[in-house]
């Protein structure tokens, strides 16, 4: 989804996926290399990221974390191909965060990404179940899969 908001200077496009994913990436950038950042990497994959720029940042950050490499902001910024991506990255780095609320906000950001992916998978299965072309065996398999995604 992309939302437009009227602004006195012009239209501003708001990408909610980029905002959600950016919140998580912010925690990774600000607290790199923290042991707390490793556990979510067991659950998060690049498929959890819809925005291509956020996905590339996540891949770079997770690779550096897994290899115990240093955080290279220049390398991260090199993934920004458009001025909008560069602006998003600079705004991300300028965000102020409350250090004392890290456990709550970080886990909330991870959980929201996991929930979004799970709900999208459930919706895909639901649509397949309601399609008239599914066989009974396939419908039973999809129903079981749907129940496991609760």
């Amino acid at each position: 989804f992309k939302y437009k908001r009227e602004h006195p200077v012009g239209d501003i496009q708001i990408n909610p996926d980029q905002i959600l994913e950016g919140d998580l990436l912010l925690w990774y950038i600000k607290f790199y290399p923290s042991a707390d950042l490793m556990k979510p990497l067991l659950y998060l994959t690049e498929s959890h990221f819809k925005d291509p720029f956020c996905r590339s940042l996540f891949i770079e950050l997770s690779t550096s974390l897994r290899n115990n490499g240093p955080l290279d902001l220049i390398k991260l910024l090199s993934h920004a191909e458009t001025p909008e991506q560069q602006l998003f990255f600079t705004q991300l780095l300028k965000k102020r965060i409350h250090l004392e609320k890290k456990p709550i906000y970080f886990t909330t950001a991870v959980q929201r990404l996991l929930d979004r992916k799970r709900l999208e998978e459930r919706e895909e299965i639901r649509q397949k179940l309601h399609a008239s072309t599914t066989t009974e065996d396939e419908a039973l398999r999809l129903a079981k899969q749907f129940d496991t995604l609760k």
Side-chain angles (χ1 to χ4, degrees):
F1 298 108
K2 288 198 177 189
Y3 299 100
K4 279 189 170 183
R5 187 179 86 192
E6 289 294 320
H7 195 268
V9 180
D11 288 341
I12 295 178
Q13 298 235 347
I14 298 171
N15 183 346
D17 294 325
Q18 197 176 52
I19 292 170
L20 176 64
E21 296 164 7
D23 285 347
L24 179 65
L25 292 171
L26 174 66
W27 290 105
Y28 272 101
I29 291 169
K30 296 285 184 175
F31 290 101
Y32 187 93
S34 170
D36 299 340
L37 301 177
M38 288 300 289
K39 189 172 183 180
L41 292 180
L42 299 172
Y43 307 105
L44 291 174
T45 63
E46 60 189 69
S47 67
H48 285 90
F49 291 81
K50 289 182 175 183
D51 185 70
F53 179 58
C54 292
R55 184 182 309 116
S56 65
L57 290 178
F58 175 76
I59 292 169
E60 188 67 40
L61 285 166
S62 62
T63 304
S64 294
L65 264 172
R66 287 186 177 114
N67 297 334
N68 293 321
L71 176 64
D72 188 358
L73 291 177
I74 301 293
K75 195 171 184 181
L76 289 176
L77 184 57
S78 70
H79 291 275
E81 298 171 353
T82 65
E84 292 83 15
Q85 292 173 342
Q86 292 173 358
L87 178 64
F88 171 73
F89 189 72
T90 55
Q91 287 175 342
L92 190 67
L93 293 178
K94 287 180 183 178
K95 278 189 178 179
R96 300 174 93 194
I97 55 176
H98 299 284
L99 300 178
E100 65 277 357
K101 295 186 178 184
K102 177 190 172 211
I104 296 167
Y105 289 155
F106 179 67
T107 53
T108 301
V110 170
Q111 190 61 50
R112 284 183 180 161
L113 268 171
L114 292 171
D115 288 345
R116 179 183 68 180
K117 177 75 170 167
R118 180 181 51 82
L119 291 173
E120 287 172 353
E121 289 174 354
R122 281 179 57 105
E123 182 61 25
E124 284 179 28
I125 293 171
R126 189 184 69 73
Q127 288 177 356
K128 287 178 185 177
L129 279 171
H130 290 282
S132 60
T133 59
T134 57
T135 63
E136 284 185 38
D137 292 336
E138 187 179 355
L140 184 61
R141 183 185 58 78
L142 287 172
K144 287 179 183 178
Q145 188 179 2
F146 185 83
D147 287 338
T148 61
L149 288 174
K150 285 186 179 178

